[in-house]
Amino acid sequence: MKNQRLIVDDQEIGVLKQEQGEFISLTDIARQRNAATGLVISHWLRTRFTVEFIGLWEQLYNPNFNVTEFGNIKNETGSSSYVLTVKQWIQKTNSIGLISKPGRYNGGTFAHKDIAFEFASWISPSFKLYLIKEFQRLKDEENNRLELDWDLRRSLAKINYTIQTDAIKENLIPKELDPVMMGKIYAEEADILNLALFGMTAREWSSLNKGGNLRDSATLEQLVVLSNLESINAMLIGQGRPAAERAIELNRIAIIQMKSLVTNQSLQKAPLPLNQSK
């Protein structure tokens, strides 16, 4: 679950991103009409049109929706004495389109965007339009980030494809494992790979750098080689090769591939992904 914020007509609107999609805060939208947001939502929920609309949405997307209870609620709506809260609706119908989230600052009632847009229309048609436009802007930003992620994956694939030269750049090329390093071989497969490429275990790196993650600090070239080593290590395990023997072989391969990557002329001229070109 991820919290996001929209600014609609100078009003902050919370958004929860879940597996079922984006859920927009009805509590924040209701503030456009009245500070007593719970009453606003309850008045909207008790109308027959609202109940029928949400009920139809649930039947389309929720296989566990309690249709019997929905029918009972629909028969009650419209009467002046009938009161229906969000929690009652969720408990009785097993609804997934509405969420009642506890919390003083990030809590409140949230609804799937399809339902939230209808609620916004009930509050104010113009506010609904502003909400839809701002929500679309948010989705456009997310799509742009996805395109950047795709560019990064494409760059990784390009680097991986062009491993072919034999030159060397000393500051990135792994050192050959010596007997002292060989004594550090552990049963953990991740550390066998770390020793082969970085010359140290994850714990040793963390100790030297006062915390953090070894692989988070790796260069793009090192991550590509690490990915290759993982596949090769799986093959060596399938062949029944012992850990120490695999470490030597993986270290040899890591040296060859890093030599290839760090001096490849076409890669050095290629644009870097994300903000690395600056």
Side-chain angles (χ1 to χ4, degrees), residues 82-241:
Y82 186 67
V83 177
L84 180 64
T85 67
V86 172
K87 289 184 178 180
Q88 289 172 337
W89 168 262
I90 295 173
Q91 291 171 356
K92 290 181 178 181
T93 66
N94 197 31
S95 168
I96 62 172
L98 294 177
I99 296 175
S100 180
K101 186 173 180 287
R104 180 177 180 182
Y105 298 104
N106 294 316
T109 298
F110 291 78
H112 187 276
K113 61 182 178 62
D114 298 341
I115 301 172
F117 291 152
E118 286 302 314
F119 178 66
S121 181
W122 183 77
I123 294 292
S124 165
S126 60
F127 188 80
K128 175 185 179 180
L129 177 60
Y130 294 140
L131 177 63
I132 292 175
K133 289 175 68 66
E134 179 64 13
F135 182 81
Q136 187 58 52
R137 184 195 62 78
L138 176 67
K139 298 303 295 181
D140 289 343
E141 286 184 354
E142 289 182 352
N143 290 335
N144 289 337
R145 286 194 293 270
L146 289 174
E147 289 179 5
L148 290 175
D149 289 342
W150 183 84
D151 286 340
L152 175 58
R153 290 194 296 271
R154 182 180 60 180
S155 297
L156 284 170
K158 183 177 181 180
I159 292 173
N160 199 27
Y161 179 75
T162 55
I163 297 177
Q164 55 188 335
T165 63
D166 295 320
I168 184 168
K169 189 174 182 181
E170 292 296 338
N171 63 325
L172 284 178
I173 306 305
K175 304 298 181 182
E176 290 187 12
L177 290 174
D178 58 28
V180 175
M181 291 181 179
M182 287 303 301
K184 299 176 182 178
I185 296 295
Y186 301 117
E188 290 84 352
E189 296 303 325
D191 270 337
I192 291 178
L193 297 175
N194 290 336
L195 282 167
L197 181 58
F198 304 108
M200 66 181 70
T201 66
R203 177 175 292 183
E204 289 169 337
W205 188 93
S206 180
S207 177
L208 289 173
N209 293 273
K210 298 181 180 180
N213 188 295
L214 168 61
R215 300 189 182 192
D216 287 344
S217 69
T219 66
L220 193 61
E221 293 88 353
Q222 287 171 326
L223 290 175
V224 170
V225 172
L226 183 61
S227 176
N228 294 338
L229 294 182
E230 288 173 342
S231 299
I232 295 170
N233 190 38
M235 179 188 69
L236 296 178
I237 291 174
Q239 295 174 355
R241 306 272 287 274

Side-chain angles (χ1 to χ4, degrees), residues 29-35 40 122-124:
I29 296 174
R31 291 193 179 96
Q32 286 291 113
R33 174 166 293 189
N34 195 302
V40 175
W122 183 77
I123 294 292
S124 165

